[in-house]
Amino acid sequence: MKHFSACRAVGFCLLLGGMSVRPLAAQQLGGRTVFPFLDLPTGAQQAALGGMNVSARNDDPTMLFANPALLNPEMDGRLALSYVAYVADIKQSTAAYVFNTEKYGRFGVGITYLSYGNFESYDAAGNSLGTFGVNEYTVGVSDSYTKGKFTFGATTKLAVSSIAGSRSLAGVADAGVVYKHPTTEFTVGLAVKNAGYQFSPYPGTGRGPLPLDVQIGATIKPEHMPVRFSLTAHHLQQWDIQYLDPNARGQLDASGNEKKATRSFGDNLARHFTASAALVLGKGLNIRVGYNHLMRRELRLDNTSGSAGLSFGVMLKISTFQIDYTHATLQAAGSSEYFTLSRSLDSLFKKKE
């Protein structure tokens, strides 16, 4: 029975993900799911790696949000706190902690909180009723078990969305598996993310699907090269993820007729991938860069793409602390700054003994 709960949860989530493929296959990405904030990267490292990565195995506890199977001994006893400021007053905070048990496997606890700020409230006559807040958050527990070259992991979490005192609740599950080569720095990861059910929608609305995402990826560091490469394929349960704005004006041909944009096989294929690289300058310094083609296409402005979809980050270790910073470009009109601070609590307590 040892570690049976984690393995059973993995199987359940994979089955649930498979059952969810058919109804989602004909849907576009934007505006068709509830709790879309579940797709946001929670830590600076994940954001620097293109926002999606299921195979980067290291000591950063926030990577449990990317794939619960990434839990590993290097994370044991580590606490990570992350913060990102989006546009306007939208801010996200995350906390993650990992610990190991001999009997039940390795666990991770994660909390992420997204605040949209405060808004003015008015009655039908235009009289001010004060302000109200809008926020969303998740609380979850992850469990993983390693068998030989493979690590299996699962996460169960509660998602809450709140607007002016009204709430919507959902149960969410992630599951994944990671293969680690025994002698070289090569890992392959598979994850089914955001499978679940909306328990209670907002008053006056119906239940909606969660933003299910099936991802697979690989990370490799060639021998004698100080660079670690990652490639991740996402939204594998849905081939067509292109969005063509029906109101967008097309280009005019030689006869003056408007030519609307058409779907492109190459562009649709590229939208399924994120690519990243990390320059490893010793154990205490990494420089990262990532590219997300889906983000670039969806967030570009009409007249320019700017640096949308590109992200740049750095990891620096100072004494017992690890600091991760990422600058992720949303579009020409704005960007996001991610900060993650982590350290081992085990070493902190041992010094006090």
Side-chain angles (χ1 to χ4, degrees), residues 46-347:
Q46 186 182 358
L49 299 178
M52 302 175 183
N53 191 297
V54 294
S55 56
R57 190 175 183 271
N58 49 54
D59 62 355
D60 183 357
T62 65
M63 291 302 289
L64 67 86
F65 291 96
N67 184 353
L70 289 174
L71 289 170
N72 66 85
E74 294 183 34
M75 296 181 181
D76 290 349
R78 294 187 66 83
L79 172 68
L81 302 175
S82 187
Y83 174 83
V84 53
Y86 293 108
V87 295
D89 293 329
I90 304 175
K91 300 176 177 62
Q92 180 176 264
S93 302
T94 301
Y97 177 70
V98 177
F99 60 96
N100 187 38
T101 64
E102 294 184 2
K103 185 176 182 181
Y104 299 106
R106 180 167 284 105
F107 285 87
V109 180
I111 301 173
T112 182
Y113 178 84
L114 180 66
S115 172
Y116 296 90
N118 293 319
F119 299 85
E120 292 288 339
S121 177
Y122 299 91
D123 62 16
N127 300 310
S128 176
L129 299 177
T131 61
F132 65 92
V134 180
N135 56 74
E136 296 176 304
Y137 61 91
T138 64
V139 180
V141 177
S142 304
D143 185 16
S144 73
Y145 167 59
T146 300
K147 183 69 173 180
K149 304 172 185 177
F150 295 89
T151 298
F152 304 88
T155 298
T156 301
K157 52 190 172 183
L158 176 68
V160 181
S161 180
S162 175
I163 301 178
S166 298
R167 287 181 174 82
S168 176
L169 305 177
V172 189
D174 301 336
V177 58
V178 169
Y179 165 82
K180 183 181 184 301
H181 193 278
T183 59
T184 62
E185 290 195 46
F186 175 68
T187 55
V188 178
L190 169 67
V192 177
K193 303 181 62 177
N194 305 327
Y197 182 74
Q198 186 181 19
F199 297 132
S200 59
Y202 279 110
T205 65
R207 290 186 175 88
L210 271 66
L212 178 71
D213 193 356
V214 181
Q215 302 179 5
I216 188 171
T219 298
I220 184 172
K221 181 181 179 297
E223 191 175 7
H224 307 305
M225 282 188 65
V227 183
R228 187 178 291 111
F229 300 98
S230 293
L231 182 66
T232 304
H234 53 89
H235 293 96
L236 298 180
Q237 82 284 355
Q238 178 182 350
W239 161 247
D240 186 6
I241 58 175
Q242 281 182 296
Y243 173 73
L244 300 179
D245 186 357
N247 298 317
R249 299 186 61 180
Q251 296 181 347
L252 300 179
D253 59 18
S255 302
N257 299 316
E258 184 180 9
K259 186 177 180 181
K260 289 283 189 179
T262 58
R263 298 189 182 279
S264 164
F265 174 86
D267 180 54
N268 192 59
L269 178 64
R271 291 180 187 227
H272 281 276
F273 288 90
T274 65
S276 62
L279 179 61
V280 183
L281 301 175
K283 294 183 178 181
L285 179 62
N286 285 359
I287 298 175
R288 304 167 177 138
V289 60
Y291 175 72
N292 186 320
H293 188 67
L294 175 64
M295 184 180 295
R296 181 173 183 83
R297 297 294 293 175
E298 295 296 329
L299 297 183
R300 66 177 181 172
L301 301 179
D302 289 339
N303 56 347
T304 179
S305 295
S307 300
L310 290 173
S311 53
F312 306 90
V314 60
M315 181 279 288
L316 179 64
K317 290 186 177 181
I318 302 176
S319 183
T320 57
F321 291 92
Q322 177 173 313
I323 303 171
D324 290 84
Y325 164 78
T326 293
H327 174 89
T329 304
L330 300 178
Q331 50 164 287
S335 59
S336 302
E337 314 294 333
Y338 291 79
F339 298 90
T340 300
L341 177 67
S342 62
R343 72 154 296 165
S344 171
L345 295 186
D346 288 348
S347 62

Side-chain angles (χ1 to χ4, degrees), residues 4-15 143 152-154 174-177:
F4 178 71
S5 59
C7 295
R8 182 169 60 180
V10 171
F12 170 76
C13 292
L14 290 174
L15 176 61
D143 185 16
F152 304 88
D174 301 336
V177 58

